[in-house]
Amino acid sequence: MNFNPRKLFVIVGNPDAGKMKTIRHLFQRKHFFPFKGPIKAAGMGNREFIVINISDHNFRAEHYLVRIKAVMQCHVESRASFLVVLSLAFDDSARDVKKILVYFNQSGFDIHYLVLYSSWRDKRVVGEQDLLLLAQQITQGAIHMLDRLVTKSELRFNQRTEELRLLMVALLGEKR
C-alpha cells in the first residue's frame, strides 16, 4: 500500500514577523479565499495549496480553529497541500494556540512548522521560551527555523521568502 499523507505547512512567528507579507509575496496575491478552489504559487510548479489565514488583530484561537476545521473539511477530497498562518501565543489568553496544535497533532497530515524567527517591524525575535513551548506541544511534525534577520529590509525579507519557498519545494518533493 502506498501511503503518502498530504502536506500541512504552518508558518509561525510573532505577530509582526511578516507572516501575511510572506504568503502574499510567495503566492503573488493579496487575498486568499480558502473555501474556493486551490491556488498555485509561483516557483512551486503545478503544486496546489489551500491557504488558511487570519489577520493578527482578528485572531481568536477558538474561532480560528473552527475556520481551519471547516476549510479542511471543505477540501477533504482535494490533493492540495494546506498552508496555515499562526501567531505564537502560549499565554492562556483567547489567542493561545495550544488547541490548534493539538488538532494538528491528530490530523494525520505530514506537518512542517516553518518558524519566522525575526520580526519584520522591529528587532524582536521569537523567544527561546516560545520555541521550547512549540517543540513541547508538537507530537506530529517537524520544525524548520528560518533565522534570517529581516527587520525592515526588503532585500533580507525577499531572501527569507526565497529560503521558505525552496524549503517548501524540497519538502513537497519528499516521499513518505
Side-chain angles (χ1 to χ4, degrees), residues 8-13 59 61-62 64-65 68-69 84-90 95-108 111-115 130-143:
L8 168 58
F9 296 101
V10 185
I11 297 179
V12 296
F59 188 88
E62 181 180 337
Y64 195 30
L65 180 56
I68 290 167
K69 289 178 178 179
V84 177
V85 177
L86 195 62
S87 286
L88 288 179
F90 299 109
R95 298 170 61 95
D96 192 300
V97 296
K98 288 185 212 108
K99 289 182 181 175
I100 295 172
L101 296 176
V102 167
Y103 176 72
F104 289 162
N105 287 335
Q106 299 168 348
S107 70
I111 308 169
H112 297 276
Y113 294 90
L114 311 169
V115 179
D130 283 337
L131 291 173
L132 180 63
L133 288 169
L134 178 64
Q136 289 173 347
Q137 294 295 314
I138 295 171
T139 59
Q140 171 70 22
I143 298 174

Side-chain angles (χ1 to χ4, degrees), residues 59-73:
F59 188 88
R60 299 191 76 67
E62 181 180 337
H63 298 127
Y64 195 30
L65 180 56
V66 169
R67 181 176 174 83
I68 290 167
K69 289 178 178 179
V71 171
M72 288 182 167
Q73 183 60 40

Side-chain angles (χ1 to χ4, degrees), residues 2 11 21 33 41 49 51 59 63 67 77-78 82 97 133 137 146 149 153 165:
N2 185 10
I11 297 179
K21 183 177 172 70
F33 304 99
F49 293 87
V51 177
F59 188 88
H63 298 127
R67 181 176 174 83
E77 298 294 323
S78 171
F82 287 99
V97 296
L133 288 169
Q137 294 295 314
L146 294 140
L149 299 176
S153 168
R165 185 191 69 77

Side-chain angles (χ1 to χ4, degrees), residues 160-176:
R160 180 177 74 180
T161 302
E162 179 63 8
E163 290 169 3
L164 177 79
R165 185 191 69 77
L166 291 172
L167 175 60
M168 289 176 66
V169 166
L171 294 169
L172 286 164
E174 282 184 359
K175 297 290 183 200
R176 291 225 164 195

Side-chain angles (χ1 to χ4, degrees), residues 1-18:
M1 182 166 119
N2 185 10
F3 181 68
N4 190 11
R6 288 167 62 185
K7 302 282 187 198
L8 168 58
F9 296 101
V10 185
I11 297 179
V12 296
N14 288 330
D16 291 326

